[in-house]
Amino acid sequence: MEYNEGRRHRILMVSDFFYPNFGGVENHIYLLSQCLLKLGHKVVVMTHAYGNRSGVRYMTNGLKVYYVPWKPFLMQNTLPTFYGTLPIVRTILIREKISLVHGHQAFSTLCHEALMHARTMGYKVLFTDHSLYGFADVGSIHMNKILQFTLADVSQAICVSHTSKENTVLRSGLPPEKVFVIPNAVDTNMFTPALERLSMDPIVIVVISRLVYRKGADLLVEVIPEVCRLYPNVRFIIGGDGPKRVRLEEMREKHSLQDRVDMLGAVPHAKVRSVLNSGHIFLNSSLTEAFCIAILEAASCGLLTVSTCVGGVPEVLPDDMIVLAKPDPSDMVHAIRKAIRILPKIDPYEMHRRMKGMYSWHDVAKRTEIVYDRALGCSDQTLLERLPRYLTCGALAGKLFCLVMIIDFILWRLLQLWQPDSEVEVVPDIKQKEQKQG
């Protein structure tokens, strides 16, 4: 099938992770969707219900969101049903005249099921991987097998860093030429430095993160007391919540640091800028990270970053804007000492200006457009032509995956008999004016 570089796409974004939940994946989907709408494409989001938020909602610029009536059962993920989502996915695809389905995050059950159903119905599908996973533990082995199943028949894939691409290719067996690297970005109009430069006494180190093991909360428990011992004029502001918050509060009590370590709890995204602007250094202690958007937000606000050298973090900022350390308490303390020494040389406004030139969601959307064009240029294949791809997933797993897809195909055909496509009401489009980027 020939494709036109200038075509306007009709995209369904699918993930369990979306507003009102907050996080990197949620921001990525929302901001990418907004930029795609401005470029003239139609974008619809499908996610699960959040509390009383169910049904169809409209967000800024007419972004339509389907909050399907599935409740999360673990870490904002819906219960896997394999075929339970087929009727509603089919209805949305027909009603909105979707041409391409874009799933986000390997953890998302809804994403995997929607991509499976879309391929059964002959749609082109994309997948964006936002995280890194291991190969040895039971959870990673299970997740990697599911990812192998989903990506066996995906049209194209996107990763947010080169490290993430290498990880995804190794885990899924996807051909590297099908995987594109498009980094995240930051809204530099929202994240700006403080109008007045802060005094260097005290020096404030800001941490904004989920307080969980993967984000290195246990490292903070050991690093903070040592830094406070070495520098009497250093204070910490910790924003975020999670199961490790108790350990941090115990550390604060044990070392009598109540007046030097502020625990803010969960910080709404609208207030992140004000918290960042109250500090000089941003500290990221993640143990694994495909691409850390929080680092971009901090740098855009003019903060010098100290971060663990893991995953795709070294790809995020130039060397003069970040100090990297091994995920080890003593090395992190050494990195913080180095950051404090070079802090007087940092110009927040110059850093913000550089960030505006390096990262833009409009640029991300333009690059994603190219991947969409390539996906729609892939040839159409019948079920029999697609099944051999699943057989490569393993001696037993391959046959099981083929059975899953055959059953999905039969159920789809039965749905077509019960309610033909022509009987599904098509919704009118909201006309959007294409906005030129200056």
Side-chain angles (χ1 to χ4, degrees), residues 277-337:
N277 280 340
S278 62
H280 304 85
I281 296 172
F282 179 77
L283 179 60
N284 172 55
S285 58
S286 294
L287 301 180
T288 175
E289 199 77 70
F291 188 103
C292 187
I293 293 183
I295 290 177
L296 295 186
E297 294 172 347
S300 185
C301 289
L303 275 70
L304 178 62
T305 298
V306 175
S307 175
T308 46
C309 186
V310 296
V313 170
E315 303 175 31
V316 176
L317 293 175
D319 292 342
D320 61 332
M321 297 172 70
I322 186 170
V323 181
L324 297 172
K326 297 176 184 177
D328 173 77
S330 60
D331 203 51
M332 289 188 67
V333 171
H334 177 74
I336 292 172
R337 295 179 69 174

Side-chain angles (χ1 to χ4, degrees), residues 249-265:
E249 290 178 340
E250 289 174 348
M251 173 273 295
R252 188 172 64 164
E253 295 288 335
K254 178 181 178 181
H255 296 278
S256 302
L257 296 174
Q258 292 89 339
D259 59 335
R260 299 180 62 185
V261 179
D262 293 334
M263 302 286 294
L264 303 182

Side-chain angles (χ1 to χ4, degrees), residues 12-15 44-48 66 68 88-89 92 110 114:
L12 176 66
M13 301 277 188
V14 187
S15 182
V44 179
V45 178
M46 176 182 172
T47 188
H48 64 71
Y66 283 89
V68 299
I88 195 164
V89 169
I92 292 172
L110 194 62

Side-chain angles (χ1 to χ4, degrees), residues 138-415:
V138 175
S140 294
I141 293 170
H142 172 68
M143 180 56 65
N144 293 344
K145 185 57 71 174
I146 293 175
L147 190 67
Q148 195 176 17
F149 165 62
T150 299
L151 299 192
D153 195 26
V154 77
S155 305
Q156 305 286 339
I158 296 173
C159 291
V160 294
S161 67
H162 292 280
T163 302
S164 176
K165 174 180 177 177
E166 182 180 350
N167 182 262
T168 299
V169 169
L170 288 172
R171 287 159 50 217
S172 66
L174 197 64
E177 60 271 16
K178 275 192 168 187
V179 185
F180 296 80
V181 176
I182 303 177
N184 286 308
V186 61
D187 186 350
T188 52
N189 294 321
M190 176 184 293
F191 291 93
T192 56
L195 295 177
E196 296 183 5
R197 190 160 183 172
L198 296 176
S199 166
M200 297 291 288
D201 189 16
I203 295 172
V204 180
I205 300 175
V206 178
V207 178
I208 299 181
S209 169
R210 295 195 305 276
L211 302 181
V212 296
Y213 172 78
R214 190 175 70 85
K215 292 294 184 179
D218 295 303
L219 283 175
L220 296 176
V221 172
E222 299 185 52
V223 169
I224 291 174
E226 181 63 15
V227 173
C228 288
R229 184 185 69 80
L230 293 170
Y231 296 95
N233 66 327
V234 167
R235 289 180 55 245
F236 282 84
I237 296 177
I238 301 176
D241 209 345
K244 295 291 183 180
R245 178 173 178 173
V246 175
R247 284 209 66 196
L248 287 164
E249 290 178 340
E250 289 174 348
M251 173 273 295
R252 188 172 64 164
E253 295 288 335
K254 178 181 178 181
H255 296 278
S256 302
L257 296 174
Q258 292 89 339
D259 59 335
R260 299 180 62 185
V261 179
D262 293 334
M263 302 286 294
L264 303 182
V267 180
H269 194 254
K271 296 184 179 179
V272 169
R273 175 186 173 270
S274 63
V275 175
L276 290 172
N277 280 340
S278 62
H280 304 85
I281 296 172
F282 179 77
L283 179 60
N284 172 55
S285 58
S286 294
L287 301 180
T288 175
E289 199 77 70
F291 188 103
C292 187
I293 293 183
I295 290 177
L296 295 186
E297 294 172 347
S300 185
C301 289
L303 275 70
L304 178 62
T305 298
V306 175
S307 175
T308 46
C309 186
V310 296
V313 170
E315 303 175 31
V316 176
L317 293 175
D319 292 342
D320 61 332
M321 297 172 70
I322 186 170
V323 181
L324 297 172
K326 297 176 184 177
D328 173 77
S330 60
D331 203 51
M332 289 188 67
V333 171
H334 177 74
I336 292 172
R337 295 179 69 174
K338 180 181 177 182
I340 290 174
R341 286 197 302 271
I342 65 176
L343 195 56
K345 302 176 184 177
I346 300 298
D347 183 349
Y349 308 104
E350 173 64 16
M351 189 177 290
H352 176 73
R353 186 191 65 78
R354 290 173 65 187
M355 289 298 295
K356 289 184 73 171
M358 286 190 289
Y359 288 102
S360 161
W361 279 111
H362 178 69
D363 179 58
V364 171
K366 294 292 287 183
R367 293 167 69 175
T368 305
E369 268 188 321
I370 297 171
V371 183
Y372 288 162
D373 290 332
R374 287 179 177 267
L376 289 169
C378 296
S379 59
D380 297 320
Q381 292 181 314
T382 64
L383 176 65
L384 291 177
E385 290 173 323
R386 290 165 42 224
L387 287 179
R389 299 182 185 178
Y390 295 101
L391 289 173
T392 63
C393 295
L396 179 61
K399 295 179 179 65
L400 180 62
F401 294 160
C402 284
L403 180 62
V404 169
M405 295 306 297
I406 291 169
I407 294 173
D408 199 47
F409 184 84
I410 293 170
L411 291 174
W412 170 55
R413 288 301 191 188
L414 291 174
L415 275 174

